[in-house]
């Protein structure tokens, strides 16, 4: 079977999730590969969630938030622009291609941008191929294997 | 009434945990008096076969230190699990891989290549040789344990009842645990962390803390730190906020930042990710370039944030490429 | 009060009233050439000379500045006065034989040819007659002190200092206003009156902001009012009987605490000069819809008359739909109101003029109650409907008389032909667009906008008046183009929503809140600085952080930041999100 990337999207409630909703309401076609988790703010996205997504088999993670200056909570996304680059260093450290972790700003009005990013990310991950981590193997067959 | 039976084992670790047990000083005599020590390779001459011959669950308490690095570590872990009523992951290595776990940053091949071939002190003949698990000698065959690709914590290999963190666990904490078990009080729920608290290192640290905003990170040798002020406030990456307390904040008392040996506090799954999240929250910059240049000041993030917990972190090891 | 006798009429007037005013009260006309009610009497033209009789004594005085006394008898038309006026008038006429106001006065006083030789100066009919009203206005009323007299005798003239354009001149136009001959002209671009909204004639510094203003009272534009420049004038205060003019009022910034806000900031009109092909701002008689609305208004600059710049009635009017809307180069959306107001325009033009009317439309969207019926009525009224977007408006002329006109070029898609339609006036139906400061307003209230730039409602069908921000509602064109019935309906709905919260007396807030599990918090103080709402306080005695749940808005930044995971929340907890992740990865 052809490789279908599994991508986890963490979307902020006010801009990006609404933008994704708009994409749907506007019947904009986009790849079905991004599985969305809504958080109130992109600032809520704990780096551990992203690592956990990779551990559980995600081939990519995309975090979307309000444009800088537009945060519903004033400055939540400013924490995100520091967390994600920092986390990207760890992700790289774990030997994962940093292109598998993306941070983008999507406003409530940018349904088309949401669809575009989803398609772009899906294609990029498709070209990178599945993310293979030894931890996948260990988690599936945990204790007393050796 | 027979004395309860005690076993101690040293897997892949430096042995500091064994020394720590002795660091309870004369109380070791109370331990010897209270327990019938049935297995302690570092101090007493027992053979694996002696233990193997014992009945399952015949050892009351086993303090197992060290991570699981090779087939021998794993074999003994399984054996001790079977023979012990209570198996305790003792010390950082058993708990979360510890320093040996940092080997997960690279591969077995790379390590062997360096150790047996490329390190400057190695003299090789015919391009060098790697240890063989099975070799034939005139006198017969020799088997040595197989080194694993990935270092594991004890609980990734066998079922663990309790955890005692620390590199090494502090003697008073060790005595506390032993005393508790000797007291005959009902044992805590399985999976409990003993010899530590639910708070973080900051709770025991006496330094004055402020609300944080950081523009620059320093390595400890780069600045003269104020002995009364929070090291993190001064720009030193201190793992204290994301490290379980119990050590008495020894390191910060000695003007050295916490390195995180007591492992993540309860509810935290990934010590490194948590620390990254916390630190990035307090960096005082909004411009992506400035942020990158501040992050550049943290040398070796993997080794800093996962110094003890890599093997037990969410992703456990670096992907072999 | 004193009683006096003017030309045999007995009148009771206030003491110290001038004879001129007393005569006015008695209904007796006295000619004047240098008098204005806003100026102190100057008495220079002498034309108002009258004969005053007291007892046996009779004397000639100027009526404009001579106060009455009790028992005075005044003759305004005695032989002596008539003779004197004739001489004065003859002198003026010989001095300014061509000036219109002088000629008119002479005619009124039955003075024909002056007996004095004419100075034979080549003067215009609006030449200066040295009445001095402008000088007095400038110095005594406006207090700008710019105008003055120079020289004497026949060389006397009104001048600016050093005969140069003066920096002291505030270009108030008062001199021109008072000039009887029209000698002084104000060039419009220098006019300091409030900039008119639609460049259809000046407004004064004191004006009623809009016809629908509540309260409907005039305001003074301090930036253009003479009084605020020179301290002079105060004419409005003098003429205001209820003494309502208060120059000491200051701008006030009033802070009002409210719990809910209805944002109904309206729209901007698309600037049609961005579409050069329609000639807006370049060609005369091309108007935006709002300008045309103003022309139609009975209190507008033309009093509701539909006239061209030349003052003539147009022979044909073209109304072009969809200027900037339904146009991917500008706004893709339909502005919704244009079709119907275009029909209204056509109806009113038909009602008030004999002009031919052409509507250039893409589609007629008569979507509301009674609208389709109105459209059919217009068709019966003989409005020409041309289906096709007008391509451009160019200058042309009428066949026959060659008078200048405009030509609208378009493709009539119903007959499949290219057409050029001559018209005198073009009305553009400009798109409704978001206000230019809508981004600032949006940030102020933490609300979003939809792709078209209008404010975003919480749900397009189920919640069209509220926004993502609790307590902030939207209505009207701020939310999207809509007509008056829709706006009223939406605003009513928003008001009801607001009132329902007020009536309830308490506010329900989202349950998503952060909280500290004190047993895990060690007071590292990483979270304390993060909260934009200052909801995280540090309890010194316990050495732990604490979240004020009333201030917390539940963003969760602190939860992600807490290195010991002591910070957690109601909703969106780590466990919940990780469980979601688990579920998603199947």
């Amino acid at each position: 079977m052809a490789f279908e990337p599994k991508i986890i999207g963490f979307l902020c409630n006010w801009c990006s999730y609404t933008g994704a909703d708009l994409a749907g309401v506007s019947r904009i076609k986009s790849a079905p590969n991004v599985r969305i988790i809504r958080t109130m703010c992109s600032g809520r996205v704990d780096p551990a969630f992203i690592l956990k997504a990779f551990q559980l088999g995600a081939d990519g993670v995309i975090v979307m938030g309000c444009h800088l200056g537009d945060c519903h909570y004033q400055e939540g996304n400013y924490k995100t622009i520091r967390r994600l680059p920092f986390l990207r260093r760890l992700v790289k450290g774990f030997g994962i291609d940093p292109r598998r972790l993306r941070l983008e700003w999507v406003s409530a009005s940018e349904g088309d941008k949401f669809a575009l990013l989803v398609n772009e990310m899906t294609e990029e991950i498709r070209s990178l191929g599945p993310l293979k981590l030894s931890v996948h193997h260990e988690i599936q067959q945990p204790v007393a294997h050796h | 009434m027979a004395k309860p039976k005690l076993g101690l084992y040293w897997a892949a670790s430096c042995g500091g945990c064994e020394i720590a047990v002795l660091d309870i000083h004369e109380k070791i005599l109370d331990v010897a008096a209270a327990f019938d020590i049935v297995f302690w390779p570092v101090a007493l001459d027992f053979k694996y076969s002696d233990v193997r011959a014992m009945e399952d669950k015949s050892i009351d308490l086993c303090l197992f230190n060290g991570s699981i690095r090779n087939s021998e570590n794993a074999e003994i872990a399984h054996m001790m699990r079977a023979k012990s009523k209570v198996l305790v992951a003792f010390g950082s290595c058993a708990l979360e891989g510890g320093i040996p776990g940092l080997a997960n940053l690279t591969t077995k091949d790379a390590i062997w290549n360096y150790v047996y071939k490329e390190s400057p002190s190695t003299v090789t003949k015919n391009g060098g040789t790697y240890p063989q698990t099975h070799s034939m000698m005139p006198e017969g065959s020799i088997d040595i344990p197989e080194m694993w690709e990935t270092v594991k914590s004890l609980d990734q290999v066998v079922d663990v009842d309790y955890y005692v963190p620390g590199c090494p666990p502090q003697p008073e904490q060790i005595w506390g645990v032993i005393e508790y078990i000797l007291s005959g009080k009902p044992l805590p729920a399985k999976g409990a962390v003993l010899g530590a608290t639910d708070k973080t290192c900051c709770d025991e640290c006496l330094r004055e803390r402020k609300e944080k905003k950081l523009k620059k990170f320093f390595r400890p040798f780069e600045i003269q730190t104020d002995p009364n002020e929070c090291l993190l406030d001064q720009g030193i990456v201190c793992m204290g906020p994301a490290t379980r307390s119990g050590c008495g904040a020894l390191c910060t008392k000695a003007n050295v930042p916490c390195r995180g040996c007591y492992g993540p506090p309860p509810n935290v799954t990934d010590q490194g990710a948590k620390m990254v999240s916390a630190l990035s929250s307090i960096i005082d910059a909004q411009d992506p370039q400035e942020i990158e240049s501040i992050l550049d000041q943290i040398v070796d993030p993997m080794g800093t944030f996962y110094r003890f917990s890599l093997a037990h972190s969410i992703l456990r090891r670096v992907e072999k490429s | 009060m004193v009683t006096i006798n003017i030309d045999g009429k007995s009148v009771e007037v206030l003491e110290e009233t001038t004879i001129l005013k007393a005569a006015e009260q008695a209904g007796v006309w006295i000619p004047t050439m240098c008098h204005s009610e806003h100026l102190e009497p100057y008495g220079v033209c002498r034309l108002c000379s009258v004969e005053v009789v007291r007892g046996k004594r009779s004397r000639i005085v100027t009526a404009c500045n001579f106060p009455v006394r009790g028992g005075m008898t005044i003759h305004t038309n005695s032989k002596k006065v008539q003779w004197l006026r004739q001489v004065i008038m003859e002198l003026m006429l010989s001095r300014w034989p061509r000036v219109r106001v002088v000629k008119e006065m002479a005619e009124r006083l039955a003075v024909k040819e002056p007996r004095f030789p004419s100075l034979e100066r080549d003067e215009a009919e609006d030449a200066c007659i040295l009445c001095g009203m402008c000088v007095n206005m400038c110095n005594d009323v406006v207090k700008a002190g710019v105008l003055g007299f120079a020289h004497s005798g026949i060389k006397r003239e009104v001048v600016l200092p050093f005969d140069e354009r003066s920096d002291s001149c505030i270009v108030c136009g008062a001199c021109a206003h008072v000039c009887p001959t029209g000698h002084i002209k104000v060039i419009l671009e220098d006019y300091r009156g409030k900039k008119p909204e639609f460049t259809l004639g000046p407004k004064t510094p004191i004006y009623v902001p809009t016809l629908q203003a509540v309260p409907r009272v005039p305001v003074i534009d301090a930036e253009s009012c003479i009084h605020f420049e020179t301290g002079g004038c105060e004419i409005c205060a003098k003429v205001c009987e209820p003494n309502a003019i208060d120059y000491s009022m200051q701008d006030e910034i009033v802070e009002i605490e409210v719990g809910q806000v209805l944002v109904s900031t309206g729209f901007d009109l698309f600037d049609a000069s961005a579409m050069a092909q329609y000639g807006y701002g370049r060609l005369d008689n091309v108007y935006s819809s709002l300008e045309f609305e103003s022309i139609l208004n009975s209190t507008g600059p033309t009093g509701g008359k539909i006239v061209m710049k030349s003052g003539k009635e147009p022979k044909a009017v073209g109304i072009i739909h969809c200027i900037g809307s339904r146009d991917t180069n500008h706004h893709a959306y339909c502005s919704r109101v244009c079709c119907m107001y275009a029909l209204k325009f056509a109806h009113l033009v038909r009602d008030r003029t004999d002009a031919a009317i052409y509507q250039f439309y893409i589609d007629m969207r008569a979507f509301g109650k009674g609208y389709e019926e109105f459209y059919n009525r217009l068709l019966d009224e003989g409005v020409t409907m041309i289906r096709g977007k007008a391509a451009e408006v160019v200058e042309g002329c009428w066949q026959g008389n060659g008078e200048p006109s405009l030509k609208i070029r378009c493709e009539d898609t119903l007959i499949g032909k290219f057409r050029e339609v001559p018209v005198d006036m073009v009305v553009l139906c400009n798109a409704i667009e978001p206000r230019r400061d809508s981004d600032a307003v949006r940030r102020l209230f933490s609300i979003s906008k939809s792709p078209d730039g209008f404010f975003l409602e919480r749900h397009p069908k189920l919640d069209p008046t509220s926004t993502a921000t609790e307590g902030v509602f939207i209505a009207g064109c701020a939310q999207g183009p809509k007509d008056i019935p829709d706006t009223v309906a939406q605003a009513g709905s928003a008001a009801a929503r607001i009132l329902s919260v007020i009536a309830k007396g308490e506010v329900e807030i989202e349950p998503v809140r952060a909280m500290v599990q004190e047993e895990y918090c060690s007071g590292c103080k990483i979270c304390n600085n993060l909260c934009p709402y200052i909801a995280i306080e540090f309890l010194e005695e316990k050495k732990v952080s604490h979240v004020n749940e009333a201030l917390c808005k539940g963003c969760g930044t602190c939860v992600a930041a807490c290195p010991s995971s002591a910070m957690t929340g109601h909703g969106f907890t780590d466990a919940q999100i990780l469980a979601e992740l688990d579920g998603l990865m199947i």
Side-chain angles (χ1 to χ4, degrees):
Chain A
M1 208 177 80
F3 164 58
E4 275 305 328
K6 281 184 196 167
I7 299 166
I8 292 292
F10 289 99
L11 272 59
C12 95
N13 181 57
W14 305 101
C15 295
S16 314
Y17 195 76
T18 318
D21 195 33
L22 179 72
V25 171
S26 318
R27 317 263 176 219
I28 301 172
K29 272 195 181 173
S30 60
N33 303 56
V34 172
R35 302 158 186 213
I36 297 171
I37 292 179
R38 179 173 67 108
T39 58
M40 293 308 277
C41 177
S42 61
R44 172 66 184 95
V45 180
D46 190 323
F49 300 162
I50 294 167
L51 298 184
K52 192 78 186 171
F54 286 131
Q55 186 208 52
L56 294 176
D59 300 303
V61 173
I62 185 164
V63 178
M64 299 186 193
C66 306
H67 286 268
L68 292 174
D70 281 1
C71 179
H72 184 80
Y73 301 107
Q74 298 176 25
E75 50 191 40
N77 50 6
Y78 280 107
K79 276 90 180 178
T80 316
I81 58 164
R82 300 194 288 262
R83 260 178 216 148
L84 268 276
F86 205 160
L87 179 65
R88 199 170 282 122
R89 287 168 186 241
L90 291 196
V91 164
K92 238 171 162 171
F94 278 112
I96 297 171
D97 191 313
R99 283 174 290 179
R100 294 185 188 270
L101 172 58
R102 211 162 151 172
L103 170 63
E104 293 288 348
W105 312 128
V106 174
S107 81
S109 58
E110 293 173 328
D112 47 348
K113 185 175 177 187
F114 170 81
L116 188 84
L117 287 170
V118 163
N119 290 338
E120 224 178 80
M121 179 87 178
T122 306
E123 282 323 302
E124 180 147 49
I125 300 296
R126 202 188 298 283
S127 71
L128 288 174
L131 174 63
K132 289 188 185 125
L133 297 176
S134 52
V135 71
H136 296 156
H137 183 66
E138 288 167 22
I139 295 290
Q140 278 158 14
Q141 296 143 316
V143 182
H145 173 65
H146 293 279
Chain B
M1 197 183 111
K3 287 195 278 186
K5 293 191 172 73
L6 173 67
L8 296 100
Y9 185 70
W10 167 2
S13 70
C14 67
C17 293
E18 308 271 13
I19 309 298
V21 173
L22 296 175
D23 274 348
I24 60 177
H25 302 305
E26 60 274 19
K27 294 206 177 76
I28 193 70
L29 300 174
D30 297 340
V31 174
F35 286 101
D36 186 4
I37 299 175
V38 295
F39 185 53
W40 193 4
V42 75
L44 303 161
D45 186 16
F46 291 104
K47 301 288 182 248
Y48 292 164
S49 55
D50 298 337
V51 181
R52 206 167 279 129
M54 295 163 82
E55 270 181 38
D56 278 1
K57 304 287 174 204
S58 57
I59 300 173
D60 294 279
L61 175 66
C62 172
L63 304 180
F64 190 106
N65 79 76
S67 52
I68 309 302
R69 186 68 181 111
N70 58 33
S71 55
E72 185 192 15
N73 299 153
E75 186 194 334
I76 305 305
H78 284 290
M79 180 179 85
M80 292 315 290
R81 174 65 276 180
K83 304 297 171 195
S84 307
K85 283 187 189 130
V86 173
L87 177 67
V88 176
F90 188 79
S92 297
C93 298
L95 192 93
E96 49 179 353
I99 297 290
L102 284 172
N104 288 358
L105 285 172
T106 179
T107 59
K108 175 182 165 185
D109 266 354
I111 295 169
W112 278 28
N113 189 45
Y114 184 79
V115 171
Y116 295 107
K117 289 182 178 172
E118 289 182 352
S119 86
S121 60
T122 304
V123 180
T124 57
K125 271 187 215 160
N126 307 326
T129 45
Y130 289 159
Q132 302 298 308
T133 50
H134 182 80
S135 39
M136 291 303 292
M137 289 294 179
E139 298 84 0
S141 69
I142 295 178
D143 290 293
I144 61 168
E146 184 188 1
M147 179 171 149
W148 285 357
E149 183 70 43
T150 300
V151 178
K152 292 177 186 295
S153 65
L154 181 61
D155 67 354
Q156 286 167 357
V157 179
V158 297
D159 195 27
V160 169
D161 296 311
Y162 300 114
Y163 301 87
V164 176
C167 182
Q170 289 307 296
E172 60 277 14
Q173 295 284 20
I174 298 170
W175 177 244
V177 172
I178 292 171
E179 211 177 23
Y180 185 91
I181 291 167
L182 287 176
S183 72
K185 288 184 206 155
L187 291 175
K190 192 180 164 185
V193 174
L194 309 176
T197 78
D198 283 346
K199 295 223 174 194
T200 70
C201 195
C202 297
D203 189 51
E204 296 175 324
C205 179
L206 302 173
R207 289 166 180 265
E208 189 67 40
R209 283 182 293 275
K210 291 194 299 243
E211 291 180 4
K212 294 170 173 51
K213 278 261 177 233
L214 289 179
K215 267 228 179 287
K216 187 157 171 47
F217 287 107
F218 298 95
R219 301 179 76 182
F221 65 83
E222 288 176 323
I223 49 164
Q224 192 74 45
T225 51
D226 183 323
N228 299 316
E229 214 184 289
C230 170
L231 287 166
L232 195 49
D233 284 346
Q234 298 180 65
I236 305 268
V237 179
C238 174
M239 288 291 285
T243 302
R244 196 186 274 269
S245 72
C247 62
L250 277 182
C251 296
T252 63
K253 275 177 194 154
N255 242 358
V256 170
C258 169
R259 296 137 71 89
C261 72
Y262 262 64
N267 307 321
V268 174
T269 45
D270 194 293
Q271 200 179 8
K274 226 15 183 157
M275 199 58 202
V276 158
S277 188
L279 281 186
S280 45
S281 305
I282 56 170
I283 289 174
D284 187 14
Q286 300 197 329
D287 170 66
Q289 270 191 328
E290 191 188 355
I291 293 167
E292 289 293 341
S293 74
I294 293 176
L295 295 182
D296 283 341
Q297 295 159 5
I298 299 175
V299 180
D300 185 18
M302 293 298 281
T304 306
F305 301 117
Y306 289 110
R307 182 175 272 123
F308 294 91
S309 65
L310 183 67
H312 204 260
S313 67
I314 289 175
L315 295 180
R316 300 189 184 183
R317 65 159 297 120
V318 168
E319 217 32 55
K320 300 155 269 188
S321 56
Chain C
M1 296 294 271
V2 293
T3 308
I4 56 163
N5 187 299
I6 302 180
D7 291 349
K9 288 181 197 165
S10 186
V11 276
E12 209 169 82
V13 294
L14 284 172
E15 210 168 343
E16 296 295 307
T17 310
T18 63
I19 294 174
L20 189 65
K21 275 193 188 149
E24 204 176 296
Q25 213 173 314
V28 174
W29 178 70
I30 296 172
T32 60
M33 288 293 275
C34 70
H35 179 76
S36 160
E37 59 175 318
H38 303 313
L39 297 172
E40 287 296 307
Y42 187 37
V44 69
C45 74
R46 318 305 289 175
L47 206 57
C48 64
S49 296
V50 291
E51 186 180 3
V52 174
V53 182
R54 271 184 109 185
K56 285 176 190 166
R57 287 183 60 195
S58 145
R59 59 189 287 215
I60 296 290
V61 298
T62 43
C64 66
N65 57 1
F66 199 85
V68 295
R69 299 271 189 279
M72 223 180 218
T73 299
I74 298 154
H75 300 293
T76 70
N77 216 9
S78 64
K79 277 263 156 31
K80 204 170 172 182
V81 172
Q82 281 181 10
W83 172 80
L84 189 62
R85 274 183 195 160
Q86 185 165 0
V87 174
I88 294 167
M89 209 57 242
E90 279 181 74
L91 283 166
M92 287 176 88
L93 203 53
S94 65
R95 173 78 165 82
W96 297 290
R98 289 191 182 85
V99 174
R100 197 167 41 84
V101 287
V102 175
K103 285 197 316 204
E104 280 168 7
M105 183 59 84
E107 207 175 301
R108 190 161 182 188
L109 296 177
V111 174
K112 293 198 173 89
E113 278 302 304
R115 285 166 289 168
F116 309 104
S118 169
L119 279 175
E120 290 297 337
R121 293 210 294 205
D122 186 22
E123 275 176 335
E125 64 170 23
D126 62 355
C128 173
I129 57 169
L130 299 172
C131 67
M133 284 203 276
C134 56
V135 177
N136 293 341
M137 180 58 94
C138 190
N139 293 297
D140 301 342
V141 177
V142 174
K143 293 192 163 67
V146 177
L147 293 174
F149 283 111
H151 314 300
S152 57
I154 59 165
K155 284 186 176 170
R156 190 171 167 84
E157 58 178 335
V158 175
V159 290
L160 291 163
F162 307 107
D163 241 356
E164 282 170 4
R165 194 177 168 135
S166 168
D167 287 344
S168 305
C169 174
I170 58 169
V171 208
C172 65
C175 49
H177 175 73
V178 82
C179 178
T181 70
H183 182 65
I184 302 176
K185 291 180 183 64
V186 171
I187 301 160
L188 209 63
E189 69 236 36
D190 280 353
Y191 185 75
R192 60 179 290 109
K194 181 140 178 69
K195 273 265 183 311
E197 207 170 334
F198 298 130
T199 61
L200 290 174
K203 281 184 179 171
T204 54
I206 183 161
Y207 62 100
V208 179
T210 66
L211 289 173
Q212 288 79 23
V214 179
R216 204 178 157 200
V217 292
V219 294
I220 296 174
D221 175 34
E223 274 180 28
S224 55
C225 172
I226 292 167
H227 174 75
F228 291 98
E229 183 110 10
T230 66
C233 190
E234 298 184 3
I235 287 173
C236 54
K238 279 177 206 144
V239 299
C240 179
E241 281 176 15
N243 273 330
I245 310 276
D246 179 1
Y247 297 112
S248 65
M249 282 175 89
Q250 294 290 320
D251 284 350
E252 266 182 272
I253 292 174
V254 184
E255 282 187 20
I256 304 171
E257 267 192 32
V258 296
Q260 297 175 93
V261 178
L262 173 53
V263 181
S264 51
T265 45
F267 65 96
D268 270 344
L269 202 62
F270 173 73
D271 179 6
S273 54
M275 298 176 87
Q277 64 267 38
Y278 297 119
Y280 179 76
R282 180 164 54 84
L283 301 177
D284 281 347
N285 300 314
V286 178
Y287 295 112
S288 74
S289 50
L290 262 183
E291 287 166 354
F292 193 66
E293 193 73 51
S294 164
I295 290 175
L296 291 172
N297 196 317
S298 56
T299 58
T302 62
K305 276 200 206 107
I306 300 166
V307 288
M308 298 187 290
K309 267 205 165 168
S310 62
K312 285 189 201 156
E313 212 172 72
K315 285 194 283 292
V317 177
I319 301 171
I320 305 178
H321 293 224
C322 300
I323 301 297
S325 48
R326 304 188 68 198
D327 181 340
T328 47
N329 294 321
H330 300 282
H331 299 300
Y333 54 81
C334 165
S335 284
R336 291 186 83 206
V337 295
C338 323
C339 281
M340 294 319 295
Y341 74 59
L343 292 180
K344 181 195 79 173
F345 285 168
H347 177 69
L348 291 175
V349 173
R350 166 62 70 245
D351 196 39
R352 295 183 194 177
T353 70
D354 295 326
I357 303 157
Y358 301 93
Q359 298 257 5
F360 299 84
Y361 69 100
I362 308 178
D363 295 294
M364 271 316 293
R365 296 190 166 174
F367 62 93
K369 190 176 181 182
Y371 290 3
E372 183 68 18
E373 293 88 327
F374 185 62
Y375 171 50
N376 287 326
R377 180 177 155 191
L378 260 285
L379 293 179
D380 291 341
E381 283 181 8
V383 173
T384 309
M385 308 297 293
I386 298 175
R387 184 168 173 274
K389 193 167 180 187
E392 61 176 342
V393 177
V394 293
E395 284 172 301
C397 59
W398 289 100
Q399 276 182 346
N401 62 10
E403 275 177 32
S405 80
L406 297 166
K407 267 193 298 193
I408 300 175
R409 292 183 168 158
C410 77
E411 185 196 358
D412 188 333
T413 58
L414 291 181
I415 57 173
K417 288 241 159 70
F418 175 76
R419 289 178 75 172
E420 279 192 351
V421 181
V423 292
D424 278 329
M425 189 184 268
V426 172
V427 182
L428 304 175
C429 298
N430 311 55
I432 281 177
E433 61 182 16
R435 283 191 65 91
R436 65 203 90 109
D437 61 353
S438 61
D439 259 337
V441 174
R442 188 170 64 78
R443 291 210 177 118
L444 197 62
F445 294 107
S446 279
I447 56 180
S448 302
K449 62 178 181 182
S450 38
D452 50 22
F454 295 101
F455 296 142
L456 184 71
E457 61 284 341
R458 184 174 279 183
H459 191 283
K461 290 172 191 156
L462 304 176
D463 208 351
T465 65
S466 43
T467 63
T469 304
E470 218 49 64
V472 178
F473 297 86
I474 46 175
C477 286
Q479 184 254 339
K482 59 176 65 63
D483 60 1
I484 295 169
D486 286 4
T487 300
V488 171
Q490 194 183 22
S493 148
R497 294 284 299 276
I498 289 169
L499 282 173
S500 72
V501 176
I502 293 173
K504 218 193 284 172
E506 53 189 41
V507 183
E508 277 176 18
I509 49 175
E510 288 279 331
V512 181
R513 289 287 177 274
M515 59 167 280
V516 176
Q517 307 173 75
E518 287 180 8
E519 66 271 34
Y520 299 121
C521 177
S522 304
C524 66
K525 291 194 179 173
I526 278 178
C527 59
N528 302 84
N529 242 346
L530 303 182
C531 183
Y533 307 103
I534 333 169
I536 309 175
E537 53 202 336
F538 190 75
L539 306 179
E540 281 298 340
E541 69 284 3
K542 285 189 184 170
K543 299 265 181 231
V544 293
S545 289
H546 178 259
V547 174
N548 181 332
E549 292 201 3
L551 291 176
C552 173
K553 299 267 188 289
C555 69
T557 299
C558 57
V559 183
C562 178
S564 59
S565 286
M567 188 71 83
T568 178
H570 307 294
F572 296 93
T573 60
D574 282 7
Q576 286 171 331
I577 291 172
L578 292 175
E580 258 185 89
L581 248 180
D582 248 341
L584 280 179
M585 292 319 299
I586 293 165

